[in-house]
Amino acid sequence: MTRTSRPPADPAPGASDDGFARLSEPLRRELLAYCYRMLGSVHDAEDALQDTYLQAWRGYAGFEGRSSMRTWLYRIATRTCLKALEGNGRRPLPSGLGGPSHDPDASPRSRLPEVPWLQPAPGALFGTASDDPAVIVEARQTMRLGFIAALQYLPGRQRAVLILRDVLAWRAGEVADLLGTTTAGVNSALQRARAQLSQIAPTPEGLTEPDDPAQRELLDRYATAFENADVDALMAVLADDVVWEMPPIPTWFSGRETVGRFLGARILAGGGYRMVPARVNEQPAFGSYARGDDGVHRPHALQVLTLTAAGVGHVVAFLDADLFPACGLPPEL
């Protein structure tokens, strides 16, 4: 992975609340992204960030500046996230709970609202201050839904080590100091985390960016096919090994023919959808709106797409209308 650069050390801290705010506020967005990568939930990440800043504010009078404000806040955030993971360490997608369904004509299984599902992250919440194209691409890759889902398979401390070392480019000694362990322990945890991730994480080489004109055309064709309930046109933009899943429904499908049959029979048969573009987890997304009996289109699913050179390779359709406002999508059309 491309290594991102570290900011210079902070100036000496002051004793006032103004000094704390001046040093800590510029770090808020990157800390939120860190907590989201750790926890797989925007809601949990926001709670962890709030707790982190509260602890830091309370302890600021004793902060002597031996480390940077950034290191100090990451230490508190890591401790907070690891504590949150003690009772519930993993947020899966349906594909992480079992194999795909091979019968697209059967009714999907009932929703499982009790499962703590992986949550999408509105693109507006995060970002990078760097102008380096390599850093921007790296930030996008490590916010993708597939990468966040893969992190869920790692134990909490391995998760922290991999994010700090491979995403944020911390040195092994810095991570060891933050976690209260040895450099050898950090390197060992990183090696195990990389080995696990290599088996389940999507390969960046197989993914494409939606800024490419050809990919923009692909997205337009996808949305048009969905709005026209044109199954043949939709299947033409899907990759052979496309995956379709719909949390909180545990049933999911794999393969163009199977996905096409399911969509044709269960989703598009009634028609009347409208698609509004969005950006979620640094990926292209659409808010799909279903037309009601009164003619008003209301939220149906937040579809997050993964694009590959072969077409649309993965769609996670989150059946949760509460996600729409956070993604800048209107409550109705």
Side-chain angles (χ1 to χ4, degrees):
M1 293 185 178
T2 304
R3 294 302 184 93
T4 54
S5 59
R6 288 185 294 275
D10 299 322
S16 66
D17 291 347
D18 289 344
F20 173 75
R22 176 173 54 84
L23 295 174
S24 65
E25 284 305 310
L27 303 170
R28 184 175 289 271
R29 290 184 74 192
E30 68 170 88
L31 282 165
L32 180 60
Y34 173 67
C35 292
Y36 172 70
R37 291 184 178 106
M38 284 288 293
L39 302 175
S41 162
V42 172
H43 297 152
D44 290 354
E46 290 174 335
D47 289 344
L49 184 66
Q50 182 177 359
D51 192 24
T52 295
Y53 270 73
L54 180 59
Q55 292 183 53
W57 176 75
R58 287 173 173 171
Y60 183 62
F63 175 56
E64 299 176 350
R66 295 178 181 177
S67 65
S68 69
M69 172 65 76
R70 184 173 187 250
T71 299
W72 187 53
L73 287 174
Y74 268 93
R75 180 179 290 111
I76 299 173
T78 301
R79 186 167 59 239
T80 301
C81 288
L82 290 176
K83 183 177 180 180
L85 290 172
E86 288 177 358
N88 181 24
R90 183 183 172 206
R91 283 182 170 270
L93 288 173
S95 56
L97 297 180
S101 170
H102 300 292
D103 187 1
D105 298 317
S107 297
R109 292 167 56 194
S110 300
R111 298 184 179 212
L112 297 178
E114 69 277 9
V115 174
W117 297 103
L118 183 72
Q119 292 181 351
L125 288 182
F126 308 105
T128 175
S130 175
D131 294 326
D132 185 342
V135 172
I136 294 173
V137 169
E138 174 69 9
R140 286 179 176 177
Q141 296 287 359
T142 59
M143 283 301 297
R144 288 184 183 273
L145 205 58
F147 182 78
I148 304 300
L151 288 176
Q152 301 300 302
Y153 288 86
L154 302 179
R157 287 176 70 85
Q158 284 188 26
R159 207 179 296 184
V161 167
L162 185 131
I163 296 170
L164 291 168
R165 290 282 285 120
D166 280 357
V167 177
L168 301 177
W170 286 40
R171 292 185 291 270
E174 293 173 320
V175 178
D177 179 65
L178 184 145
L179 293 175
T181 185
T182 64
T183 299
V186 166
N187 290 335
S188 176
L190 180 61
Q191 185 176 14
R192 294 195 301 272
R194 285 173 173 170
Q196 175 78 354
L197 213 63
S198 67
Q199 300 176 23
I200 52 181
T203 55
E205 293 78 9
L207 305 178
T208 60
E209 293 297 325
D211 300 331
D212 181 272
Q215 298 308 315
R216 291 303 321 169
E217 180 187 4
L218 181 71
L219 290 170
D220 290 342
R221 289 169 58 198
Y222 176 89
T224 300
F226 219 93
E227 291 183 337
N228 293 338
D230 189 337
V231 178
D232 290 337
L234 186 61
M235 290 179 65
V237 301
L238 301 180
D240 287 340
D241 57 351
V242 63
V243 168
W244 181 280
E245 44 191 332
M246 308 160 289
I249 294 175
T251 304
W252 62 285
F253 302 95
S254 178
R256 178 191 289 144
E257 294 298 325
T258 302
V259 170
R261 282 176 55 192
F262 168 75
L263 293 177
R266 295 285 175 178
I267 306 298
L268 299 178
Y273 284 96
R274 291 181 62 184
M275 306 287 279
V276 178
R279 190 162 184 85
V280 178
N281 284 83
E282 295 298 337
Q283 295 174 237
F286 290 98
S288 67
Y289 292 76
R291 185 178 60 228
D293 294 337
D294 57 0
V296 177
H297 287 76
R298 295 182 175 86
H300 172 257
L302 177 65
Q303 299 183 18
V304 184
L305 280 63
T306 299
L307 304 183
T308 71
V312 177
H314 198 151
V315 180
V316 183
F318 292 92
L319 303 176
D320 185 354
D322 292 339
L323 297 172
F324 279 54
C327 297
L329 294 167
E332 62 183 38
L333 302 176

